[in-house]
Amino acid sequence: MNGLPTTKRIDSDHCVDTKSKKCAGSTFIEALVAMSIFAIFITGACQLLVSHRKIMDMARDHYTAANIAKNRLELVRTFDFDQIPQLTESAIVVNDAGIASTQGHFRRSTTVNTLNTNLYELAITVKIKDRKTLVFNETGETISTYVAMHL
């Protein structure tokens, strides 16, 4: 006939003879499209996991900061009323357990205000170090309460 090889077809979508110009490269393009779609899906999934991890770390840090403040507040119960003003501290770097440490990720401040001869206002503020910039944020957790002398 015209010298071109004839293509044998099983059905309209699959070529048996891959030497034909009509069938050449179709599987490579299909594989490339499939890999592109898969790469887009994996990129989106990875971004979702990274953002989820950041949110979980931030939530954990705020939870830990609140616990550090609560533990400091519980410490007040072990002191006599006249010793409470000695608990005042300013910007002490502490670890996850609330123990002073230069490697800590939290900064705790305790203020004691005398409202009356038998009433103190106690406020504990714990600021959190940003994981990316390693600088303490201005926001944090603050717990305050009043402590009265038992008569």
Side-chain angles (χ1 to χ4, degrees):
M1 305 207 175
N2 61 5
L4 290 174
T6 59
T7 302
K8 298 176 186 174
R9 294 183 175 266
I10 296 175
D11 60 20
S12 62
D13 293 337
H14 295 84
C15 294
V16 174
D17 185 7
T18 58
K19 293 180 183 177
S20 171
K21 289 182 181 180
K22 197 173 192 180
C23 296
S26 65
T27 57
F28 176 72
I29 292 172
E30 290 170 354
L32 202 60
V33 169
M35 285 178 25
S36 299
I37 293 171
F38 182 71
I40 291 170
F41 172 75
I42 291 298
T43 302
C46 288
Q47 288 177 348
L48 181 67
L49 288 174
V50 168
S51 65
H52 182 263
R53 174 65 188 243
K54 286 179 184 178
I55 290 170
M56 292 300 294
D57 287 343
M58 186 175 61
R60 184 182 313 113
D61 287 345
H62 279 273
Y63 178 76
T64 303
N67 279 334
I68 290 170
K70 287 178 187 177
N71 290 341
R72 183 75 174 168
L73 193 59
E74 286 296 317
L75 182 66
V76 172
R77 294 178 188 227
T78 64
F79 283 81
D80 289 333
F81 184 77
D82 297 334
Q83 295 174 329
I84 292 175
Q86 296 172 4
L87 291 172
T88 301
E89 62 184 3
S90 179
I92 303 296
V93 178
V94 296
N95 61 13
D96 294 356
I99 300 169
S101 170
T102 57
Q103 302 297 321
H105 295 289
F106 303 94
R107 188 168 60 193
R108 182 181 65 206
S109 298
T110 305
T111 58
V112 179
N113 297 324
T114 304
L115 299 177
N116 199 336
T117 57
N118 61 352
L119 184 63
Y120 293 128
E121 179 184 23
L122 187 68
I124 298 118
T125 301
V126 180
K127 296 187 179 185
I128 303 165
K129 185 184 283 187
D130 186 272
R131 292 175 181 260
K132 189 174 183 181
T133 62
L134 299 178
V135 175
F136 286 101
N137 294 331
E138 290 303 314
T139 60
E141 297 294 325
T142 301
I143 295 178
S144 59
T145 189
Y146 296 100
V147 179
M149 180 171 62
H150 296 290
L151 299 176

